[in-house]
């Protein structure tokens, strides 16, 4: 934390005082009605844009939703309240965050009921890319969270906040949670929820550390060290609990990557010398799907199975899809 403190102190002429940071993060500072109306308007719009972008696989729409989304504000508010030991504002920020999450998921569920038929969920990259978080996601999210918190403490780097909003996905991930719940895909919903909680944990860790390094607790009119200690313990437990599914997902991802490489090598050897070619090898849920193209009948699928199962366990479902559309379980 020392290097952060030095970085913030080096720009002390540009350091935002606590009163300005608190005004941006706490709804009970300044015009509460205006802040709440802005929060809910932007949250509703960003949630709808994100859900629509996810269902239609529109990356520009999803990016737009990230920029508009205000959900990071109460998360950083929880982090700041933890750092300065303000129990009242900690509760207020947490309740706003919880209500925002519920509203975001509800809009996603509605979209899942109405429009998830437009594209199979397992084939939608906007969904698949947000349902299998790993430890790498936590590391990247922590770095992004630090960048966002640092920008809040320094007025000379505040222009990076839009980039931070894009880098750490909040509203689109909750849209995926809602869409997959609405479509009855609870396995995908769980993966997306873990990713969202990972991003929240990263912001809380980063924000708490950066705001403490900025020395805001010294400026606080109300500072209760007991609140800070208790909140920090909760955050630590929260992160440790998340490490369990993240570690399991990381191991699973690494294993599937090896199996995909093995399946690719086996299929290339299988089609060698024939008029058939390997089109793709991909993972769909817990299945490995091989697509091969060619005229007439392919080489005997039994030969592929023999080559494939030398490295890929029998417990892993593998399907061969031929150009004609015929599917063979290997």
């Amino acid at each position: 934390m020392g290097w952060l403190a030095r970085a913030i102190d080096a720009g002390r002429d540009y350091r935002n005082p606590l009163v300005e940071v608190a005004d941006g993060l706490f709804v009970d500072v300044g015009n509460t009605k205006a802040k709440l109306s802005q929060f809910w308007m932007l949250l509703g719009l960003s949630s709808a844009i994100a859900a629509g972008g996810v269902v239609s696989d529109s990356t520009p729409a999803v990016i737009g939703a990230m920029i508009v989304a205000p959900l990071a504000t109460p998360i950083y508010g929880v982090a700041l309240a933890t750092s300065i030991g303000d129990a009242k504002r900690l509760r207020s920020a947490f309740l706003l965050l919880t209500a925002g999450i519920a509203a975001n998921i509800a809009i996603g569920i509605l979209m899942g009921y109405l429009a998830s038929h437009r594209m199979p969920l397992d084939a939608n990259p906007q969904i698949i890319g947000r349902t299998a978080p790993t430890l790498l996601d936590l590391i990247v999210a922590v770095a992004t969270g630090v960048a966002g918190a640092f920008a809040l403490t320094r007025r000379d780097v505040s222009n990076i906040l839009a980039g931070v909003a894009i880098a750490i996905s909040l509203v689109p991930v909750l849209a995926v949670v809602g869409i997959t719940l609405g479509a009855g895909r609870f396995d995908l919903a769980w993966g997306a929820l873990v990713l969202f909680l990972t991003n929240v944990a990263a912001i809380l860790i980063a924000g708490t550390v950066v705001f403490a390094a900025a020395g805001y607790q010294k400026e606080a009119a109300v500072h209760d060290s007991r609140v800070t200690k208790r909140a920090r313990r909760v955050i630590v437990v929260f992160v440790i609990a998340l490490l369990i599914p993240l570690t399991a997902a990381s191991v699973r991802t690494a294993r599937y990557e090896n199996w995909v490489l093995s399946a690719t090598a086996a299929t290339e050897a299988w089609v060698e010398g024939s008029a058939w070619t390997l089109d793709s090898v991909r993972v769909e849920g817990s299945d490995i799907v091989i697509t091969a193209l060619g005229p007439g009948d392919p080489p005997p699928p039994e030969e592929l199975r023999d080559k494939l199962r030398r490295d890929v366990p029998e417990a892993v479902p593998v399907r061969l899809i031929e150009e004609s559309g015929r599917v063979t379980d290997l």
Side-chain angles (χ1 to χ4, degrees):
M1 194 166 72
W3 64 273
L4 270 175
R6 289 192 295 272
I8 295 171
D9 186 62
R12 55 186 176 272
D13 292 338
Y14 299 98
R15 174 181 174 276
N16 282 321
L18 174 60
V19 63
E20 292 185 15
V21 179
D23 182 58
L25 298 181
F26 297 141
V27 295
D28 63 337
V29 177
N31 192 330
T32 299
K33 289 185 178 180
K35 288 182 177 182
L36 285 175
S37 63
Q38 180 192 61
F39 175 84
W40 288 113
M41 176 63 74
L42 291 179
L43 183 71
L45 292 173
S46 62
S47 299
I49 294 170
V54 167
V55 168
S56 61
D57 187 20
S58 173
T59 300
V62 172
I63 292 175
M66 292 178 184
I67 296 175
V68 174
L71 205 56
T73 298
I75 303 176
Y76 277 117
V78 170
L80 180 59
T82 297
S83 297
I84 65 177
D86 192 327
K88 178 183 176 182
R89 285 172 175 164
L90 178 59
R91 287 192 297 270
S92 175
F94 181 77
L95 289 175
L96 183 62
L97 172 61
T98 303
I101 291 172
N104 200 159
I105 292 177
I107 292 173
I109 289 174
L110 179 62
M111 188 66 72
Y113 276 125
L114 297 177
S116 61
H117 63 278
R118 293 186 56 180
M119 181 184 296
L121 299 184
D122 287 330
N124 189 327
Q126 297 291 344
I127 290 178
I128 297 303
R130 294 183 171 89
T131 54
T134 64
L135 290 171
L136 180 61
D137 292 288
L138 178 60
I139 295 171
V140 173
V142 168
T144 307
V146 170
F150 184 68
L152 289 169
T153 65
R154 292 275 297 268
R155 60 172 61 95
D156 56 328
V157 292
S158 59
N159 59 337
I160 73 169
L161 285 174
V164 170
I166 295 173
I168 192 160
S169 185
L170 294 170
V171 166
V173 178
L174 284 179
V176 172
V177 173
I179 290 167
T180 50
L181 282 176
R185 288 298 304 273
F186 302 110
D187 55 331
L188 296 178
W190 168 250
L193 180 62
V194 171
L195 177 57
F196 173 76
L197 295 177
T198 297
N199 290 341
V200 170
I203 295 177
L204 291 177
I205 295 170
T208 302
V209 170
V210 173
F211 295 145
Y216 286 141
Q217 66 273 15
K218 299 176 182 177
E219 300 179 36
V222 177
H223 174 67
D224 189 338
S225 60
R226 294 172 299 178
V227 172
T228 297
K229 290 178 181 178
R230 284 196 295 266
R232 284 177 176 174
R233 282 196 294 267
V234 171
I235 292 173
V236 169
V237 172
F238 179 37
V239 173
I240 291 174
L242 279 174
L243 288 176
I244 298 173
L246 288 176
T247 301
S250 298
V251 172
R252 180 184 184 276
T253 298
R255 295 175 70 186
Y256 266 88
E257 286 176 352
N258 289 331
W259 291 333
V260 165
L261 290 176
S262 298
T264 300
T267 308
E268 288 175 344
W270 175 65
V271 300
E272 188 175 359
S274 72
W276 281 67
T277 59
L278 171 63
D279 180 61
S280 66
V281 179
R282 64 187 184 277
V283 177
E284 290 187 2
S286 59
D287 297 0
I288 295 177
V289 180
I290 301 170
T291 304
L293 308 176
D297 293 328
E302 295 78 12
E303 294 182 5
L304 174 57
R305 188 183 191 289
D306 292 340
K307 296 177 184 295
L308 184 73
R309 292 304 178 180
R310 294 171 189 170
D311 298 305
V312 181
E314 293 283 350
V316 179
V318 181
R319 287 178 285 141
L320 170 65
I321 301 178
E322 301 173 19
E323 187 171 9
S324 63
R326 185 172 64 178
V327 178
T328 303
D329 293 326
L330 300 173

